[in-house]
Each structure stands twice: as C-alpha cells, then as structure tokens.
Amino acid sequence: MSAPIVILTGGMGMGKSTACSVFEELGIEVVDADLLTRQLTQSGGQAIPAIEAVFGGSVIRPDGSLDRDAMRALAFESPRQRAQLEAILHPLVQQAAQEALSRAKGPYCIYAVPLWAEVYGQDRPSWVWQVVSLDTSPAIQMQRIHARGAPPQDELTAMLGRQAKRKDRKAVADIVISNDGSLADLIAHVRALHGQLLTRSPSNQA
C-alpha cells in the first residue's frame, strides 16, 4: 500500500521549495510537479517532441531542451497557445506523478502542486488525504518574487492573475501554514506540521 498523499500547494513566492526540502530532510518522500515538468522538458524529455511539433523549433534550445523564456512569452500571448501547452504537459505530469506516488512509502508523502486550487477547486480526488496550503501576504509575496528574479512585469501580472485568489486557496486546504515570517519560522512550522501528520497518519493507525 502506498503512503497517504498530502498535497502541498501555494502561489509564487510562498515557500513551496523550502517546505519540500524540510520534508525531505525529515525523511518524507516528495513528488514535485514543477520538478517533473522540468524533467519532461529537458533534453530528451518526453514532452519535447510534441512541444516542438506544435510550437516549432524557436522554443527549443540548441541542446534540445525547452527554452522556458521563449515558451513562456509565447504561451502568455494567447489563451489558445497556453491551452495547447497545458494539453501537452498536464497529462504527462499527472502520469509521472501518479507512478511516483504509487511507489512512495512511509507514514505519508508530499505531492507539491502549485496550482492545486486552480485545477481541482473543491473537487478533491479520492486519493488525497490532506491538503496543505502555504499562505503569504501579497506584499511579502511580491518582495520574494522580485528578490529571486521576476519575469517582465506584464508576464508576472498575467501569471499572478491566473492563480487562485488567496481566499480560494485557503478554502480548499485542510491546513494553512502562514509564511510571512523568517526562514527559521517556516522551517519550524513545517516541522510542527510533520509531527501532527505523523500522529494522524492512517498508515500508523492501521
């Protein structure tokens, strides 16, 4: 039997990567949708032939990997092109994720999905045990996005506009972690959550 699945979600700049690293340090298996996407679009990646067939060679780097900047600019020019890209990537990511999650062992595992609320809303799949949402105030979110190198403002505005509203992300979550504080605060919150999940895990009560 695979481990109970905990969804970890949150918008840009909310600390998903850091939280995932803490869970891994605690011995919890993490399946990251963003990482799967990067693997699928690297040189020789499974998504590359379909992307090149639809969008042409201008979005493919000389080494055969996806040119993310070029693809992002192209995809955000029109809803149709964005939908075409999503139609290629989403099924492949979901397939890879389900395969990895089915092999996960332990008291629980993490599936990090940035756009969980946007894709599933209140329609939670039966295979999900818990949904954890990271939450950050808009001002701090923008500070963090710009600190790590934001895309052009028009693209950033479009990206943020397509993400779920703060209240909607909280509404689909069983647990909300505030990340308005320091790095140490976030680490402490994740460690505390880990203890709670261990206590409540169905695999420990079987």
Coordinates of all heavy atoms in Angstrom, one line a residue, residues 99-162:
E99 N 2.6 7.6 -10.9 CA 3.5 6.5 -10.9 C 4.5 6.6 -9.7 O 4.7 5.7 -8.9 CB 4.4 6.4 -12.2 CG 3.5 6.0 -13.4 CD 4.3 6.0 -14.7 OE1 5.5 6.5 -14.6 OE2 3.8 5.6 -15.7
A100 N 5.0 7.8 -9.5 CA 5.9 8.1 -8.3 C 5.1 7.9 -7.0 O 5.7 7.4 -6.0 CB 6.5 9.5 -8.4
L101 N 3.9 8.5 -6.9 CA 3.2 8.4 -5.7 C 2.8 7.0 -5.3 O 2.7 6.6 -4.1 CB 1.9 9.3 -5.8 CG 2.1 10.8 -5.9 CD1 0.9 11.5 -6.3 CD2 2.7 11.3 -4.5
S102 N 2.5 6.2 -6.3 CA 2.1 4.8 -6.1 C 3.3 4.0 -5.5 O 3.0 3.0 -4.8 CB 1.7 4.1 -7.4 OG 2.8 3.9 -8.3
R103 N 4.5 4.5 -5.7 CA 5.7 3.8 -5.1 C 6.1 4.3 -3.8 O 7.0 3.8 -3.1 CB 6.9 3.9 -6.1 CG 6.6 3.2 -7.4 CD 7.9 3.1 -8.2 NE 8.4 4.5 -8.5 CZ 8.2 5.2 -9.6 NH1 7.4 4.6 -10.5 NH2 8.7 6.4 -9.8
A104 N 5.6 5.5 -3.4 CA 6.0 6.2 -2.1 C 5.7 5.3 -0.9 O 4.6 4.8 -0.8 CB 5.4 7.5 -2.0
K105 N 6.6 5.3 0.0 CA 6.5 4.6 1.3 C 6.6 5.6 2.4 O 7.2 6.7 2.3 CB 7.5 3.5 1.4 CG 7.5 2.5 0.2 CD 6.1 1.7 0.2 CE 6.1 0.7 -1.0 NZ 4.8 0.1 -1.1
G106 N 6.2 5.1 3.6 CA 6.3 6.0 4.8 C 5.0 6.3 5.4 O 3.9 5.9 4.9
P107 N 5.0 7.1 6.5 CA 3.7 7.5 7.1 C 2.8 8.3 6.3 O 1.6 8.4 6.4 CB 4.2 8.2 8.4 CG 5.6 8.7 8.0 CD 6.2 7.7 7.1
Y108 N 3.5 9.1 5.3 CA 2.8 9.9 4.4 C 3.8 10.4 3.3 O 5.0 10.3 3.5 CB 2.0 11.1 5.0 CG 2.9 12.2 5.6 CD1 3.3 13.2 4.8 CD2 3.4 12.1 6.9 CE1 4.2 14.2 5.3 CE2 4.2 13.0 7.4 CZ 4.6 14.1 6.7 OH 5.4 15.1 7.2
C109 N 3.3 10.9 2.2 CA 4.2 11.5 1.2 C 3.6 12.9 0.8 O 2.5 13.1 1.0 CB 4.4 10.6 0.0 SG 2.9 10.3 -1.0
I110 N 4.5 13.7 0.2 CA 4.1 15.0 -0.2 C 4.0 15.1 -1.7 O 4.9 14.6 -2.4 CB 5.1 16.1 0.2 CG1 5.1 16.2 1.8 CG2 4.8 17.4 -0.4 CD1 3.9 16.8 2.4
Y111 N 2.9 15.6 -2.2 CA 2.8 15.9 -3.7 C 2.7 17.4 -3.8 O 1.6 18.0 -3.4 CB 1.6 15.2 -4.3 CG 1.4 15.4 -5.8 CD1 2.5 15.7 -6.6 CD2 0.1 15.3 -6.3 CE1 2.3 15.9 -8.0 CE2 0.0 15.4 -7.7 CZ 1.0 15.8 -8.5 OH 0.9 15.9 -9.9
A112 N 3.7 18.1 -4.2 CA 3.8 19.5 -4.3 C 3.2 20.0 -5.7 O 3.7 19.7 -6.7 CB 5.2 20.0 -4.2
V113 N 2.0 20.7 -5.6 CA 1.3 21.1 -6.8 C 1.0 22.6 -6.7 O 0.1 22.9 -5.9 CB 0.0 20.3 -7.0 CG1 -0.6 20.6 -8.4 CG2 0.3 18.8 -6.9
P114 N 1.7 23.5 -7.4 CA 1.4 24.9 -7.2 C 0.0 25.3 -7.5 O -0.6 26.1 -6.8 CB 2.4 25.5 -8.2 CG 3.5 24.5 -8.4 CD 2.8 23.2 -8.3
L115 N -0.6 24.7 -8.6 CA -1.9 25.2 -9.0 C -3.0 24.2 -8.6 O -3.9 24.0 -9.4 CB -1.9 25.4 -10.5 CG -0.9 26.4 -11.0 CD1 -1.0 26.5 -12.6 CD2 -1.1 27.8 -10.4
W116 N -2.9 23.7 -7.4 CA -3.9 22.7 -7.0 C -5.3 23.3 -6.9 O -6.3 22.8 -7.5 CB -3.6 22.2 -5.6 CG -4.6 21.2 -5.1 CD1 -5.6 21.4 -4.2 CD2 -4.6 19.8 -5.4 NE1 -6.3 20.2 -4.0 CE2 -5.7 19.2 -4.8 CE3 -3.8 19.0 -6.3 CZ2 -6.0 17.9 -4.9 CZ3 -4.1 17.6 -6.4 CH2 -5.3 17.1 -5.7
A117 N -5.5 24.5 -6.3 CA -6.8 25.1 -6.2 C -7.4 25.5 -7.6 O -8.6 25.3 -7.8 CB -6.8 26.3 -5.3
E118 N -6.5 25.9 -8.5 CA -6.9 26.3 -9.8 C -7.4 25.1 -10.6 O -8.3 25.2 -11.4 CB -5.7 26.9 -10.6 CG -5.3 28.3 -10.0 CD -4.3 28.1 -8.8 OE1 -4.2 27.0 -8.2 OE2 -3.7 29.1 -8.5
V119 N -6.8 23.9 -10.5 CA -7.1 22.7 -11.2 C -8.3 22.0 -10.6 O -9.2 21.6 -11.3 CB -5.9 21.8 -11.4 CG1 -6.3 20.5 -12.1 CG2 -4.8 22.5 -12.2
Y120 N -8.3 21.8 -9.3 CA -9.2 20.9 -8.7 C -10.4 21.6 -7.9 O -11.5 21.1 -7.8 CB -8.6 19.9 -7.7 CG -7.7 18.9 -8.4 CD1 -6.3 19.1 -8.6 CD2 -8.3 17.7 -9.0 CE1 -5.6 18.1 -9.2 CE2 -7.5 16.8 -9.6 CZ -6.2 17.0 -9.7 OH -5.4 16.0 -10.4
G121 N -10.1 22.8 -7.5 CA -11.1 23.6 -6.7 C -11.5 22.7 -5.5 O -10.7 22.1 -4.8
Q122 N -12.8 22.7 -5.3 CA -13.4 21.9 -4.2 C -13.6 20.4 -4.6 O -14.0 19.6 -3.7 CB -14.8 22.5 -3.8 CG -14.7 23.9 -3.3 CD -14.1 24.0 -1.9 OE1 -13.9 23.0 -1.2 NE2 -13.8 25.2 -1.4
D123 N -13.3 20.0 -5.8 CA -13.5 18.6 -6.2 C -12.2 17.8 -5.9 O -11.4 17.5 -6.7 CB -13.8 18.6 -7.7 CG -15.0 19.3 -8.1 OD1 -16.0 19.3 -7.3 OD2 -15.1 19.9 -9.2
R124 N -12.1 17.5 -4.6 CA -10.9 16.7 -4.2 C -10.9 15.3 -4.6 O -11.9 14.6 -4.4 CB -10.8 16.8 -2.6 CG -9.6 16.0 -2.1 CD -9.5 16.1 -0.6 NE -9.5 17.5 -0.1 CZ -9.2 17.8 1.1 NH1 -8.9 16.8 2.0 NH2 -9.2 19.0 1.5
P125 N -9.9 14.8 -5.3 CA -9.8 13.4 -5.7 C -9.8 12.5 -4.5 O -9.3 12.9 -3.4 CB -8.5 13.3 -6.4 CG -8.2 14.7 -6.9 CD -8.7 15.6 -5.8
S126 N -10.3 11.3 -4.6 CA -10.4 10.4 -3.5 C -9.0 9.9 -3.0 O -8.9 9.4 -1.9 CB -11.2 9.1 -4.0 OG -10.6 8.5 -5.1
W127 N -8.0 10.0 -3.8 CA -6.6 9.6 -3.4 C -5.9 10.6 -2.5 O -4.8 10.3 -2.1 CB -5.8 9.2 -4.6 CG -5.8 10.2 -5.7 CD1 -6.6 10.2 -6.8 CD2 -4.9 11.3 -5.9 NE1 -6.3 11.3 -7.7 CE2 -5.3 12.0 -7.1 CE3 -3.9 11.8 -5.2 CZ2 -4.6 13.1 -7.6 CZ3 -3.2 13.0 -5.6 CH2 -3.6 13.6 -6.8
V128 N -6.5 11.7 -2.3 CA -5.8 12.7 -1.5 C -6.2 12.6 0.0 O -7.4 12.5 0.3 CB -6.2 14.2 -2.0 CG1 -5.7 15.2 -1.0 CG2 -5.7 14.4 -3.4
W129 N -5.3 12.6 0.9 CA -5.5 12.5 2.3 C -5.7 13.9 2.9 O -6.7 14.2 3.6 CB -4.4 11.7 3.0 CG -4.6 11.8 4.5 CD1 -5.7 11.5 5.2 CD2 -3.6 12.0 5.5 NE1 -5.5 11.6 6.6 CE2 -4.1 11.9 6.8 CE3 -2.2 12.3 5.4 CZ2 -3.4 12.1 7.9 CZ3 -1.5 12.4 6.6 CH2 -2.1 12.4 7.8
Q130 N -4.7 14.8 2.7 CA -4.8 16.1 3.3 C -4.3 17.1 2.2 O -3.5 16.8 1.4 CB -3.9 16.2 4.5 CG -4.2 15.4 5.7 CD -5.4 16.0 6.5 OE1 -5.2 16.9 7.3 NE2 -6.6 15.4 6.3
V131 N -4.8 18.4 2.3 CA -4.3 19.5 1.5 C -3.7 20.5 2.4 O -4.4 21.0 3.3 CB -5.4 20.1 0.6 CG1 -4.9 21.3 -0.1 CG2 -6.0 19.0 -0.3
V132 N -2.5 20.9 2.2 CA -1.8 21.9 3.0 C -1.5 23.1 2.0 O -0.9 22.9 1.0 CB -0.5 21.4 3.6 CG1 0.3 22.5 4.3 CG2 -0.8 20.2 4.5
S133 N -1.9 24.3 2.4 CA -1.6 25.4 1.6 C -0.7 26.4 2.4 O -1.0 26.7 3.5 CB -3.0 26.1 1.3 OG -2.7 27.3 0.5
L134 N 0.3 26.8 1.7 CA 1.2 27.9 2.2 C 0.5 29.2 1.9 O 0.0 29.4 0.8 CB 2.6 27.8 1.6 CG 3.4 26.6 2.0 CD1 4.5 26.4 1.0 CD2 3.9 26.8 3.4
D135 N 0.6 30.2 2.8 CA -0.1 31.4 2.7 C 0.9 32.6 3.0 O 1.6 32.5 4.0 CB -1.3 31.5 3.6 CG -2.0 32.8 3.4 OD1 -2.5 33.1 2.3 OD2 -2.1 33.6 4.4
T136 N 0.9 33.6 2.2 CA 1.8 34.8 2.4 C 1.0 36.0 2.0 O 0.2 36.0 1.1 CB 3.0 34.6 1.5 OG1 3.7 33.4 1.8 CG2 4.0 35.8 1.7
S137 N 1.2 37.1 2.7 CA 0.6 38.3 2.4 C 1.0 38.8 1.0 O 2.1 38.5 0.6 CB 0.9 39.4 3.4 OG 2.2 39.8 3.3
P138 N 0.2 39.5 0.2 CA 0.5 39.9 -1.1 C 1.8 40.7 -1.2 O 2.6 40.6 -2.1 CB -0.7 40.7 -1.6 CG -1.8 40.1 -0.8 CD -1.3 39.8 0.5
A139 N 2.0 41.6 -0.2 CA 3.2 42.5 -0.2 C 4.5 41.6 0.0 O 5.5 41.8 -0.8 CB 3.1 43.5 0.9
I140 N 4.5 40.7 0.9 CA 5.7 39.8 1.1 C 5.9 38.9 -0.1 O 7.0 38.6 -0.5 CB 5.5 39.0 2.4 CG1 5.6 40.0 3.6 CG2 6.6 38.0 2.5 CD1 5.4 39.3 4.9
Q141 N 4.8 38.4 -0.7 CA 4.9 37.6 -1.8 C 5.6 38.3 -3.0 O 6.5 37.8 -3.6 CB 3.5 37.2 -2.3 CG 3.5 36.3 -3.6 CD 2.1 36.0 -4.1 OE1 1.2 36.7 -3.8 NE2 2.0 34.9 -4.9
M142 N 5.2 39.6 -3.2 CA 5.9 40.3 -4.3 C 7.3 40.6 -4.0 O 8.2 40.5 -4.9 CB 5.1 41.6 -4.5 CG 3.7 41.5 -5.1 SD 3.7 40.6 -6.7 CE 4.6 41.8 -7.7
Q143 N 7.7 40.9 -2.7 CA 9.1 41.1 -2.3 C 9.9 39.8 -2.7 O 11.0 40.0 -3.2 CB 9.1 41.4 -0.8 CG 8.6 42.7 -0.4 CD 8.6 42.9 1.1 OE1 9.2 42.1 1.8 NE2 8.0 44.0 1.5
R144 N 9.4 38.7 -2.4 CA 10.1 37.4 -2.6 C 10.2 37.1 -4.1 O 11.3 36.6 -4.5 CB 9.4 36.3 -1.8 CG 9.6 36.4 -0.3 CD 8.8 35.3 0.4 NE 8.9 35.4 1.8 CZ 8.1 34.9 2.7 NH1 7.0 34.2 2.3 NH2 8.3 35.0 4.0
I145 N 9.2 37.4 -4.8 CA 9.2 37.1 -6.3 C 10.3 38.0 -6.9 O 11.1 37.5 -7.7 CB 7.9 37.4 -6.9 CG1 6.9 36.3 -6.5 CG2 8.0 37.4 -8.4 CD1 5.4 36.6 -6.9
H146 N 10.3 39.3 -6.6 CA 11.3 40.2 -7.2 C 12.7 39.9 -6.7 O 13.7 40.0 -7.4 CB 10.9 41.6 -6.9 CG 9.8 42.1 -7.7 ND1 9.9 42.3 -9.1 CD2 8.5 42.3 -7.4 CE1 8.7 42.7 -9.6 NE2 7.9 42.7 -8.6
A147 N 12.9 39.4 -5.4 CA 14.2 39.1 -4.9 C 14.9 37.9 -5.6 O 16.1 37.9 -5.7 CB 14.1 38.8 -3.4
R148 N 14.1 37.0 -6.1 CA 14.7 35.9 -6.8 C 14.7 36.0 -8.3 O 15.2 35.1 -9.0 CB 13.9 34.6 -6.5 CG 12.5 34.5 -7.1 CD 11.7 33.3 -6.6 NE 10.5 33.1 -7.3 CZ 9.6 32.1 -7.0 NH1 9.8 31.4 -5.9 NH2 8.5 32.0 -7.7
G149 N 14.3 37.2 -8.8 CA 14.3 37.5 -10.2 C 13.0 37.2 -10.9 O 12.7 36.1 -11.4
A150 N 12.2 38.3 -11.0 CA 10.9 38.1 -11.6 C 10.9 38.2 -13.1 O 11.8 38.9 -13.7 CB 10.0 39.2 -11.0
P151 N 10.0 37.6 -13.8 CA 9.8 37.8 -15.3 C 9.4 39.3 -15.5 O 9.1 40.0 -14.6 CB 8.8 36.8 -15.7 CG 7.9 36.6 -14.4 CD 8.9 36.7 -13.3
P152 N 9.3 39.7 -16.8 CA 8.8 41.0 -17.1 C 7.5 41.3 -16.4 O 6.7 40.3 -16.3 CB 8.7 41.0 -18.6 CG 9.7 40.0 -19.1 CD 9.7 38.9 -18.0
Q153 N 7.2 42.5 -16.1 CA 6.0 42.9 -15.3 C 4.7 42.4 -15.9 O 3.8 41.9 -15.2 CB 6.0 44.4 -15.0 CG 4.9 44.8 -14.0 CD 5.0 44.1 -12.7 OE1 6.1 44.1 -12.1 NE2 3.9 43.5 -12.2
D154 N 4.6 42.6 -17.2 CA 3.4 42.2 -17.9 C 3.1 40.7 -17.8 O 2.0 40.2 -17.5 CB 3.3 42.6 -19.3 CG 4.5 42.1 -20.2 OD1 5.5 41.7 -19.6 OD2 4.3 42.1 -21.4
E155 N 4.2 39.9 -17.9 CA 4.1 38.4 -17.8 C 3.8 38.1 -16.3 O 3.0 37.2 -16.0 CB 5.4 37.7 -18.2 CG 5.6 37.9 -19.8 CD 6.8 37.1 -20.2 OE1 7.3 36.3 -19.4 OE2 7.3 37.4 -21.3
L156 N 4.5 38.7 -15.4 CA 4.3 38.4 -14.0 C 2.8 38.7 -13.6 O 2.2 37.9 -12.9 CB 5.2 39.3 -13.1 CG 5.0 39.1 -11.6 CD1 5.2 37.7 -11.1 CD2 6.0 40.1 -10.8
T157 N 2.3 39.9 -14.1 CA 0.9 40.2 -13.8 C 0.0 39.2 -14.3 O -1.0 38.8 -13.7 CB 0.6 41.6 -14.4 OG1 1.5 42.6 -13.8 CG2 -0.9 42.0 -14.1
A158 N 0.2 38.7 -15.5 CA -0.6 37.7 -16.1 C -0.6 36.4 -15.4 O -1.6 35.7 -15.1 CB -0.2 37.5 -17.6
M159 N 0.6 36.0 -15.0 CA 0.8 34.8 -14.2 C 0.1 34.8 -12.9 O -0.6 33.9 -12.5 CB 2.3 34.5 -14.0 CG 3.1 34.2 -15.2 SD 4.9 34.3 -15.0 CE 5.1 32.8 -14.0
L160 N 0.2 35.9 -12.1 CA -0.4 36.0 -10.9 C -1.9 36.1 -11.0 O -2.7 35.6 -10.2 CB 0.1 37.3 -10.1 CG 1.5 37.2 -9.7 CD1 2.0 38.5 -9.1 CD2 1.7 36.1 -8.6
G161 N -2.4 36.7 -12.1 CA -3.8 36.9 -12.4 C -4.5 35.5 -12.6 O -5.7 35.4 -12.4
R162 N -3.7 34.5 -13.1 CA -4.3 33.2 -13.3 C -4.2 32.3 -12.1 O -4.8 31.2 -12.2 CB -3.6 32.6 -14.5 CG -4.1 33.1 -15.9 CD -3.5 32.3 -17.0 NE -2.1 32.6 -17.2 CZ -1.7 33.6 -17.9 NH1 -2.5 34.5 -18.5 NH2 -0.4 33.9 -18.1

